[in-house]
Amino acid sequence: MQFAQAIDPVAVSLGPIQVHWYGIIMGTAVLLGLLIAIREGQRHGLDSELFLDMMIWVIPAAIVGARLYYVAFEWEYYWQNPGDIIAVWKGGLAIHGGLIGALLAGAFFVKKRGVPFLQIADIVAPSIILGQAIGRWGNFMNQEAHGGEVSRQFLEGLYLPDWLINQMNIQGVYYHPTFLYESIWNVAGLVILLLLRRWNPRRGEIFFTYLIWYSLGRFFIEGLRTDSLTFDGPAWLASLLNGLWSPMRVLFEPGMMADGNIRVAQLVSLSLVLLGIILILLRRMKGLAKDPYLKSKESVSG
């Protein structure tokens, strides 16, 4: 049986120089996110240069954080192949590590500029989730971050185009397009955040809602994947995570784990969901959430 050829992950080759689709897609995600943040920042009276300068800090920190996070959990491979540590164009950027790096760099930057961290976090939250929605297509090009085996009939039942179905055929086996599930989930999250900011919630709650929404989807989608970063943890914790994921078994089987009994992304995602909920409730109960997202309500509808 012959299968359609997969999309070449290299977009352009100029002699020894190769431009990968992964990099193009990630660059596009960053650019669109920046433009949205700049436009929204103007409604808050913030100069566009603030966001441009912030990107100089945040983007490198996010890339380094995402790569170090991934390498740390795959150290058995990378200590034997140190040259691959910097090969980010091959994939291997952990979103949670990127978030950690970006938040640390962003917090340091806004403190130097004297701008409230949560105000900036609220403004850029839609940009972050849009970037994640777009960035997952880089995984598609690299045929990575997929789920377990499925049939072609299953994929056709999702009404997916042939070019997408063919790309999910890896060495003759079809896989769950978990990149697509997460991308769609993130687009829905973008819509929710854009609607939420028009309702002018209290400062910080758009960002906390982003944490909750993204992490909730990531928790359940991660359970379908076969390339999860894992570790050996206590049996009670593994049982808890499996129990919370169990409603998915009505339609799906979990992806196999090569080793370990706990998926790092699931544990982190669950923690972020709880953190987001707790912060919203505590800040309201203690009267810390006083300032609205946008102080001039008239400008929200403008």
Side-chain angles (χ1 to χ4, degrees):
M1 180 180 294
Q2 292 184 344
F3 298 97
Q5 185 175 1
I7 299 172
D8 190 340
V10 177
V12 179
S13 294
L14 300 173
I17 300 175
Q18 292 184 331
V19 180
H20 289 248
W21 281 113
Y22 190 92
I24 293 174
I25 291 171
M26 295 303 291
T28 301
V30 171
L31 179 60
L32 290 177
L34 176 60
L35 293 175
I36 291 175
I38 288 175
R39 182 174 179 180
E40 183 63 12
Q42 291 172 346
R43 299 174 65 217
H44 291 253
L46 298 174
D47 192 277
S48 60
E49 289 188 5
L50 174 71
F51 297 94
L52 291 170
D53 292 343
M54 185 170 65
M55 288 299 100
I56 297 176
W57 289 74
V58 169
I59 296 303
I63 295 174
V64 171
R67 189 58 172 174
L68 289 179
Y69 187 100
Y70 184 86
V71 169
F73 284 100
E74 294 288 340
W75 185 242
E76 184 176 350
Y77 168 81
Y78 285 105
W79 82 270
Q80 298 179 18
N81 301 274
D84 282 350
I85 291 178
I86 62 172
V88 295
W89 54 87
K90 296 181 179 179
L93 295 175
I95 289 178
H96 285 131
L99 281 175
I100 294 171
L103 289 176
L104 290 175
F108 179 78
F109 174 83
V110 298
K111 184 176 182 180
K112 288 186 63 176
R113 291 295 185 92
V115 182
F117 172 76
L118 286 179
Q119 180 185 24
I120 298 298
D122 279 343
I123 291 172
V124 302
S127 298
I128 296 173
I129 203 166
L130 173 63
Q132 290 172 321
I134 296 172
R136 277 303 179 197
W137 288 86
N139 298 133
F140 168 71
M141 291 297 184
N142 283 352
Q143 294 185 306
E144 62 188 5
H146 56 71
E149 295 184 19
V150 295
S151 66
R152 183 179 179 93
Q153 289 72 23
F154 173 85
L155 297 177
E156 290 174 345
L158 298 178
Y159 301 100
L160 302 178
D162 284 342
W163 58 267
L164 197 155
I165 293 176
N166 292 336
Q167 186 72 356
M168 298 314 300
N169 177 0
I170 304 173
Q171 297 181 348
V173 179
Y174 291 95
Y175 293 93
H176 265 300
T178 47
F179 85 92
L180 179 63
Y181 304 158
E182 190 169 325
S183 183
I184 292 173
W185 179 265
N186 290 339
V187 170
L190 172 64
V191 173
I192 290 173
L193 295 183
L194 293 179
L195 290 174
L196 181 60
R197 77 183 189 189
R198 294 186 66 84
W199 295 334
N200 208 25
R202 300 180 188 184
R203 180 174 292 174
E205 294 186 356
I206 293 178
F207 177 69
F208 298 145
T209 300
Y210 154 73
L211 287 181
I212 295 169
W213 180 266
Y214 168 72
S215 300
L216 186 63
R218 180 65 187 273
F219 175 84
F220 287 104
I221 295 170
E222 186 69 22
L224 297 171
R225 289 175 55 172
T226 58
D227 61 345
S228 298
L229 299 175
T230 61
F231 69 95
D232 286 310
W236 67 265
L237 182 56
S239 296
L240 173 62
L241 295 176
N242 290 334
L244 291 173
W245 195 85
S246 61
M248 293 284 285
R249 290 181 179 272
V250 175
L251 297 174
F252 306 110
E253 287 297 320
M256 298 295 293
M257 290 187 284
D259 51 25
N261 64 344
I262 292 176
R263 301 174 192 267
V264 177
Q266 282 193 318
L267 180 60
V268 174
S269 294
L270 180 60
S271 300
L272 290 177
V273 169
L274 295 175
L275 178 64
I277 294 172
I278 291 171
L279 287 174
I280 289 175
L281 295 178
L282 280 181
R283 284 174 55 79
R284 287 201 170 218
M285 290 172 58
K286 293 187 175 182
L288 298 175
K290 296 179 179 179
D291 292 334
Y293 167 69
L294 190 61
K295 290 187 177 180
S296 175
K297 253 192 133 173
E298 289 75 17
S299 63
V300 175
S301 58

